[in-house]
Amino acid sequence: MSKDKIRWIIFAGLFLFVTLAYTIDIKMVSSPSYEVQKSFDYIESLPEGTILMVSFDHEASSLPEVQPISLVMIRHAFRNNLRIVGLSLFAEGTAIGYRTLNKIAAEYDKIYGVDYVFLGFKPQHIAAILGMGESIYDVFPHDYLGNLTDTIPIMIGIENYDNIEMVISITDGDRAVQWIEYAGPRYDQKVMTGLTAAMITSYDPYLSSGQLFSVVGGLKGAAEYENLYGVPGKGNRGMPAQTAAHLYLIVMIIIGNIIYFRNRKRQGRSS
Amino acid sequence: MPTRLPLLICLVSGVVMFLQYFSRHPVAKLIYQTVTNDWWQVIFAFTLIVGVASFIKITLRKISQKKDKTYSLIALGGLILMPVLALIGGTNIESPFQWAFENLLAPMQATVFSLLAFFVASASFRGFRARSIPAAILLGTALLVLIGRLPIAEHISESIPDLTFWIKNYPSMAARRAILIGIGLGSMTTALRVILGIERTYLSGK
């Protein structure tokens, strides 16, 4: 069989396997990891009116994996009457952040400017992170809709990180590292992150050192958070498909190795 | 002189920004705010102009050479369409810009990203072989972590999540820390070389 044919069979197999798993409604419950439980408990413990800064630091490409995390975390915050200052340090995150906040705010009857605000995008992320430590009004003189930031009710008195309880960076890369490295040591800002599963190991040293408060990682992290929150969402919906894909990969690795060892044995015999 | 002036600007800027970090004096704070809020943003705006101009130039050249003409036209159309939609209809939730982002850009990007799963599946079949002892260890670890990330892992065996946790928190983190320390030392050395004018690649190596 030609290499191309094998490749197409593998592709078709994965497509069928994942589609099938996605169409079957199976509930996969797993115990929450320590980090997810810590994130949930912390948000649950905050008093009403506390300000959280949610930074949408990701591209549209990773939306299927990171959006379930931002959805459930913002829902949790709004349910507990916490207030949210949204922003983006990634150009594409701007539209994503604005839409996500508005969508969830409508579910909880939250008012723009009072319960939440979206500041928009600022280029040069390190400069923006450092600048907000001194003055958020200087870095974002206007919000996403063009209103003067210091006149928006939620922003009155929110001058810098001293007035922000926690920064939650929803990311698919290393942008949260910049929050940790620049907002953390210089301004003593607490940072939490929701990120793609592939990036979790990059953040482990920061978690271990205590520079990063906690992590909600990948679709599994979102599913665990949703279970704690009590309302299954996109995270739980995607778990069977992710499980199917992982199992498929495992099977492929095993089959590939069986073929490899069989061929090696044959070659050994013939030589 | 053409070389000395940029070197001097670089030296002074580097030293001033280094020293201001340790000072709470109002002048230091002012310098810091001016650099972070104004100068860096201005530099970024110029890089954006350079980026867009370069993209248009390359795409137009491709169109004139009839090389991937259709794709180039679509790319150029997209570059023009999004700012035009934003300028005409604004960027609020009901605007055409938001519609285009939600229904065109986001699904297209997610589709391209999801193709990665297919290539990983193909690569895991063809390339992930236990050819040697280190490769076999890597393979075993990968299989364990793959299973450990599944919700069914704890139902197969309670020790699988623990083992995955151990791999993540000891061997993997040790390697990650070593890389981070290396990057940190490398960044410091490069910064010092640039500030002191030893590293001059930004001046075409002059």
Side-chain angles (χ1 to χ4, degrees), chain A residues 11 31 61 92 98-99 123 127 130 134 139 144 186-187 204 208 220 246 249 253 256-257 260, chain B residues 21 29 32 36 40-41 44 91 98 101-102 109 113 118 128-131 139 146 149 154 168 177:
Chain A
F11 290 170
S31 346
S61 56
E92 278 181 35
Y98 181 62
R99 289 191 75 88
L130 287 169
E134 300 298 329
V139 178
Y144 184 62
R186 184 156 180 152
Y187 299 104
D204 283 341
S208 165
K220 188 168 183 264
H246 276 219
L249 287 184
I253 293 171
N257 276 280
Y260 168 69
Chain B
Y21 187 85
K29 207 170 165 179
Y32 173 66
T36 54
W40 283 15
Q41 303 299 339
F44 179 82
T91 55
Q98 289 286 348
F101 185 88
E102 181 87 356
Q109 283 213 10
F113 192 54
F118 291 91
F128 218 165
R129 305 273 161 88
R131 287 192 173 92
L139 186 71
L146 267 173
R149 287 294 300 167
E154 61 191 64
K168 199 167 94 62
R177 278 207 171 118

Side-chain angles (χ1 to χ4, degrees), chain A:
Chain A
M1 205 183 286
S2 72
K3 275 184 182 175
D4 271 354
K5 210 168 187 181
I6 293 170
R7 196 176 292 158
W8 280 108
I9 291 169
I10 294 168
F11 290 170
L14 180 65
F15 177 75
L16 284 173
F17 216 45
V18 171
T19 312
L20 199 70
Y22 201 75
T23 48
I24 300 167
D25 194 17
I26 319 162
K27 187 157 171 53
M28 294 182 145
V29 182
S30 61
S31 346
S33 63
Y34 170 74
E35 293 304 329
V36 174
Q37 184 74 56
K38 190 180 174 187
S39 310
F40 181 86
D41 289 346
Y42 186 76
I43 295 201
E44 191 68 17
S45 71
L46 295 173
E48 287 189 5
T50 304
I51 301 273
L52 296 176
M53 182 175 265
V54 180
S55 186
F56 296 85
D57 303 328
H58 61 93
E59 294 176 310
S61 56
S62 53
L63 209 55
E65 192 175 4
V66 292
Q67 200 182 36
I69 302 170
S70 56
L71 287 174
V72 69
M73 288 182 99
I74 296 169
R75 279 196 179 111
H76 188 199
F78 276 153
R79 187 177 73 178
N80 289 14
N81 292 321
L82 309 180
R83 293 182 293 163
I84 293 177
V85 174
L87 62 109
S88 175
L89 298 180
F90 228 115
E92 278 181 35
T94 320
I96 296 166
Y98 181 62
R99 289 191 75 88
T100 308
L101 274 176
N102 273 297
K103 186 185 163 192
I104 305 169
E107 291 173 15
Y108 291 87
D109 296 325
K110 298 292 176 188
I111 303 161
Y112 186 88
V114 177
D115 301 303
Y116 72 104
V117 69
F118 190 68
L119 300 176
F121 165 66
K122 199 75 185 174
Q124 235 319 324
H125 54 280
I126 294 172
I129 294 169
L130 287 169
M132 281 190 287
E134 300 298 329
S135 170
I136 297 173
Y137 307 141
D138 285 347
V139 178
F140 288 98
H142 300 93
D143 72 347
Y144 184 62
L145 302 176
N147 307 305
L148 276 171
T149 307
D150 55 2
T151 61
I152 301 168
I154 185 180
M155 290 306 293
I156 294 169
I158 310 295
E159 208 184 320
N160 52 37
Y161 295 132
D162 291 344
N163 314 106
I164 304 283
E165 174 65 30
M166 161 96 68
V167 169
I168 303 173
S169 174
I170 308 293
T171 183
D172 55 3
D174 65 349
R175 193 93 348 146
V177 170
Q178 270 91 55
W179 281 107
I180 297 162
E181 288 179 350
Y182 294 100
R186 184 156 180 152
Y187 299 104
D188 206 19
Q189 178 60 54
K190 209 175 267 179
V191 180
M192 188 194 278
T193 179
L195 73 166
T196 48
M199 289 304 295
I200 296 174
T201 47
S202 307
Y203 288 84
D204 283 341
Y206 298 105
L207 266 175
S208 165
S209 66
Q211 288 167 283
L212 176 62
F213 182 78
S214 63
V215 160
V216 177
L219 213 54
K220 188 168 183 264
E224 289 170 2
Y225 203 107
E226 283 167 4
N227 293 334
L228 290 169
Y229 176 67
V231 184
K234 283 185 173 179
N236 272 281
R237 184 83 186 85
M239 278 327 287
Q242 185 174 293
T243 305
H246 276 219
L247 290 174
Y248 188 79
L249 287 184
I250 292 164
V251 171
M252 284 297 112
I253 293 171
I254 292 167
I255 294 174
N257 276 280
I258 290 170
I259 295 169
Y260 168 69
F261 280 110
R262 207 182 58 186
N263 289 347
R264 207 164 76 163
K265 209 173 173 183
R266 270 186 202 159
Q267 277 168 3
R269 266 189 215 148
S270 61
S271 64

Side-chain angles (χ1 to χ4, degrees), chain B residues 24 39 51 70 105 128 132-133 146 149 196:
Chain B
R24 286 282 156 193
W39 292 11
T70 317
L105 190 78
F128 218 165
S132 59
I133 293 170
L146 267 173
R149 287 294 300 167
L196 297 173

